């Protein structure tokens, strides 16, 4: 009886299928959440705030002052939440792809976690910076605009101004997936395009175009990735139940 119980416990602990179901499902949901956050962020800044039409620093500060509460909530969502969920996706992809290309996937995962940290840091700094300039605006609008001019390059430098780290991670994930024949080939080739656009955004003359292409195409990539991971998770779960 004791031996039988011990074998059952050992089988549960060593069963890779049960673990795969969990991390694949979490990774798939994380990818879909990332895509949804992208869409919400784009809609908020382009439609609700109409931020693209506001060019001067003083006008931007005025816009921040009029929408401080919703802007702080949006920073929390599109940066802090995005970066937190990204960690789950990065780790899920590492588990999925590392077996066939361990060294390259370690480097890929490192860039993914660095990107997540940069995104979270950008959100924290943007929230604090916005609060500072809004408070300053009521006393001295000109000085508030000057402070924002000094802080905005720091915020953009952590992401948004260029997407080289996120682009490199996306590119490397696609390279590893192609080498290991994981995921879907069309999704992997599309990921190469997405990642390349992010890397090109670091070039000043291509920054705006590259960043825009990276953001829009990564929404599609995240959705495709999420669907693939969820399907794989269901297959693993079905296999585990059949073995039981």
């Amino acid at each position: 009886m004791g031996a039988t119980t011990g074998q059952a416990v050992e089988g549960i602990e060593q069963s890779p299928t049960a673990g795969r179901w969990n991390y694949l499902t979490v990774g798939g949901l994380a990818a879909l959440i990332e895509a949804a956050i992208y869409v919400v962020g784009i809609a908020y800044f382009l439609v609700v705030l109409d931020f693209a039409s506001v060019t001067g620093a003083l006008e931007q500060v005025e816009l921040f002052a009029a929408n401080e509460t919703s802007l702080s909530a949006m920073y929390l969502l599109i940066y802090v939440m995005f970066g937190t969920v990204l960690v789950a996706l990065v780790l899920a992809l590492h588990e999925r792809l590392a077996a066939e290309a361990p060294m390259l996937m370690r480097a890929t995962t490192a860039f993914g976690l660095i990107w997540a940290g940069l995104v979270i840091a950008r959100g924290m700094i943007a929230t604090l910076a916005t609060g500072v300039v809004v408070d300053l605006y009521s006393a001295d609008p000109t000085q508030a605009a000057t402070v924002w001019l000094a802080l905005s390059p720091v915020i953009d430098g952590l992401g948004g101004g260029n997407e080289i780290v996120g682009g490199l991670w996306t590119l490397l994930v696609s390279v590893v997936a192609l080498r290991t024949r994981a995921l879907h080939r069309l999704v992997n080739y599309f990921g190469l395009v997405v990642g390349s656009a992010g890397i090109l955004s670091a070039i000043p003359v291509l920054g705006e175009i590259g960043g825009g292409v990276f953001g829009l195409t990564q929404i599609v990539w995240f959705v495709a990735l999420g669907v693939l991971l969820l399907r794989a998770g269901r297959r693993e779960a079905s296999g585990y139940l059949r073995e039981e």
Side-chain angles (χ1 to χ4, degrees), residues 178 181-190:
L178 281 171
R181 297 186 179 183
L183 307 176
H184 192 286
R185 180 173 295 183
L186 290 179
V187 175
N188 296 334
Y189 283 126
F190 186 71

Side-chain angles (χ1 to χ4, degrees), residues 5-93:
T5 303
Q7 290 174 355
V9 172
E10 183 180 357
I12 293 173
E13 291 177 346
Q14 293 180 355
S15 174
T17 309
R20 284 175 185 164
W21 179 88
N22 184 56
Y23 81 75
L24 288 169
T25 301
V26 171
L29 291 174
L32 295 178
I33 291 171
E34 298 292 70
I37 291 175
Y38 255 124
V39 173
V40 170
I42 291 173
Y44 177 79
F45 281 99
L46 293 185
V47 178
V48 177
L49 288 190
D50 192 18
F51 193 74
S53 65
V54 180
T55 56
L58 181 57
E59 288 78 8
Q60 290 177 352
V61 174
E62 291 174 348
L63 189 65
F64 297 159
N67 300 274
E68 183 179 9
T69 302
S70 64
L71 190 62
S72 297
M74 190 56 57
Y75 282 152
L76 179 64
L77 175 66
I78 65 174
Y79 296 130
V80 178
M81 183 63 70
F82 184 95
T84 302
V85 176
L86 182 62
V87 171
L89 177 59
V90 169
L91 295 179
L93 287 173

Side-chain angles (χ1 to χ4, degrees), residues 100-101 104 173-182 188:
E100 300 297 328
L104 182 56
V173 166
S174 303
V175 169
V176 174
L178 281 171
R179 287 185 55 183
T180 59
R181 297 186 179 183
N188 296 334

Side-chain angles (χ1 to χ4, degrees), residues 157-174:
L158 292 173
N162 72 77
E163 298 288 359
I164 186 170
V165 179
L168 188 56
W169 173 72
T170 306
L171 181 71
L172 289 175
V173 166
S174 303

Side-chain angles (χ1 to χ4, degrees), residues 107-233:
T108 302
T109 300
F111 280 111
L113 295 177
I114 290 170
W115 186 34
L118 290 174
V119 172
I120 293 172
R122 186 187 189 202
M124 296 169 66
I125 294 173
T127 301
L128 291 173
T130 302
V132 168
V133 297
V134 168
D135 290 342
L136 191 58
Y137 173 76
S138 59
D140 190 338
T142 302
Q143 188 177 5
T146 302
V147 171
W148 178 245
L149 283 173
L151 290 175
S152 58
V154 177
I155 298 171
D156 288 341
L158 292 173
N162 72 77
E163 298 288 359
I164 186 170
V165 179
L168 188 56
W169 173 72
T170 306
L171 181 71
L172 289 175
V173 166
S174 303
V175 169
V176 174
L178 281 171
R179 287 185 55 183
T180 59
R181 297 186 179 183
L183 307 176
H184 192 286
R185 180 173 295 183
L186 290 179
V187 175
N188 296 334
Y189 283 126
F190 186 71
L192 296 179
V193 175
V194 178
S196 299
I199 293 171
L200 290 175
S201 70
I203 302 174
V205 295
L206 299 175
E208 187 173 347
I209 296 175
V213 171
F214 175 76
L216 293 175
T217 55
Q218 196 169 49
I219 295 173
V220 180
W221 186 73
F222 275 139
V223 171
L225 192 61
V227 171
L228 290 176
L229 291 176
L230 287 175
R231 286 179 179 174

